[in-house]
Amino acid sequence: MTFTRQQLLHILSNLTRYKVPDRQTTFKIIMMAVQYHKNFKNYVSLDYTPNSHVYFIGDLHGQYEDMLHILQIIEDERLQSPSTPIQLVFLGDVVDRGYRSLETLLTVLCMQLLWPGRVHLLRGNHETEKISRIYGFFDECKRKHASAVVYLECLQLFQTLPVALILEYKESAPATEEQESQSSDITSTTVPPQISMFCKAEKPVVQSADAS
């Protein structure tokens, strides 16, 4: 069973008011996201033109208010040029450390399901069992749903997330076979190490790839 678009919008609206979905609703969102990600490769390939905007959002770490603020900035820019297509790329490390990791993750997943192909979530080193058990996400899931079941479902989701992004400019040469081969060598079930190409900046950042 899946949610309709209207139901997802209602859940998303409640999340922005800090209302965490019940366990069954949370489970369904995660399972829908798992099926969604299984349709894609282990990397995201995006085409970019001067007439589009790609926003990179990294290392939210459960800072839900920060994410809402960033999304509002993006929305304000979108309203200024509503015809310009946009893409959102969340660069992993969505969970841990902050107090609202579950809300942050579920919001991103709802956005992906509502706007498929326009919202992307990569896997960071905190989207692993080894790290998320230590830095707060495991405890948060137990606290908010009185069970570790939701956490185990999230671990299943994490294994389906892509681990790399290839951004191809329309004016440039297409991605080389070597680039795609290197990305293909890493599977979604590969556990990102603590120090590696997967690790990124500590603070949430938003950047518009605008060549104009």
Side-chain angles (χ1 to χ4, degrees), residues 140-160:
E140 179 181 334
C141 289
K142 288 199 303 179
R143 183 174 67 255
K144 292 180 176 177
H145 285 296
S147 169
V149 174
V150 168
Y151 174 74
L152 296 177
E153 293 160 355
C154 287
L155 293 182
Q156 181 181 349
L157 167 70
F158 294 160
Q159 292 189 349
T160 68

Side-chain angles (χ1 to χ4, degrees), residues 112-131:
Q112 281 195 301
L113 296 171
L114 284 164
W115 299 286
R118 295 181 62 186
V119 181
H120 311 277
L121 174 60
L122 303 186
R123 186 182 190 186
N125 65 316
H126 281 262
E127 279 74 52
T128 62
E129 181 176 7
K130 180 178 181 180
I131 303 299

Side-chain angles (χ1 to χ4, degrees), residues 173-208:
T176 65
E177 292 184 6
E178 181 181 2
Q179 286 176 311
E180 295 196 356
S181 174
Q182 289 174 348
S183 297
S184 300
D185 289 340
I186 307 170
T187 66
S188 295
T189 55
T190 301
V191 177
Q194 295 185 47
I195 301 176
S196 73
M197 60 180 287
F198 299 102
C199 299
K200 298 166 291 298
E202 290 295 324
K203 297 181 180 179
V205 296
V206 56
Q207 178 179 351
S208 171

Side-chain angles (χ1 to χ4, degrees), residues 5 13 19 37 39-42 45 50 80 82-83 87 105 110 127 130 136 141 167 169 196 200 202:
R5 180 177 179 82
S13 177
K19 295 181 179 179
H37 285 104
N39 293 324
F40 297 95
K41 298 179 180 180
N42 60 326
S45 182
Q80 293 177 15
S83 62
Q87 300 268 355
L105 176 63
C110 284
E127 279 74 52
K130 180 178 181 180
C141 289
L167 182 63
Y169 290 85
S196 73
K200 298 166 291 298
E202 290 295 324

Side-chain angles (χ1 to χ4, degrees), residues 37-54:
H37 285 104
K38 282 184 177 179
N39 293 324
F40 297 95
K41 298 179 180 180
N42 60 326
Y43 62 91
V44 176
S45 182
L46 292 183
D47 292 330
Y48 170 72
T49 69
N51 296 323
S52 64
H53 291 271
V54 182

Side-chain angles (χ1 to χ4, degrees), residues 50-100:
N51 296 323
S52 64
H53 291 271
V54 182
Y55 295 90
F56 300 95
I57 306 170
D59 295 74
L60 289 166
H61 282 307
Q63 301 295 336
Y64 193 55
E65 292 81 1
D66 287 352
M67 182 177 75
L68 294 180
H69 178 65
I70 290 169
L71 292 176
Q72 186 59 59
I73 292 173
I74 295 172
E75 175 64 11
D76 291 343
E77 291 187 6
R78 188 190 69 82
L79 291 175
Q80 293 177 15
S81 54
S83 62
T84 302
I86 67 170
Q87 300 268 355
L88 301 182
V89 182
F90 292 87
L91 298 173
D93 287 1
V94 169
V95 302
D96 283 337
R97 294 180 176 158
Y99 292 105
R100 299 187 186 276

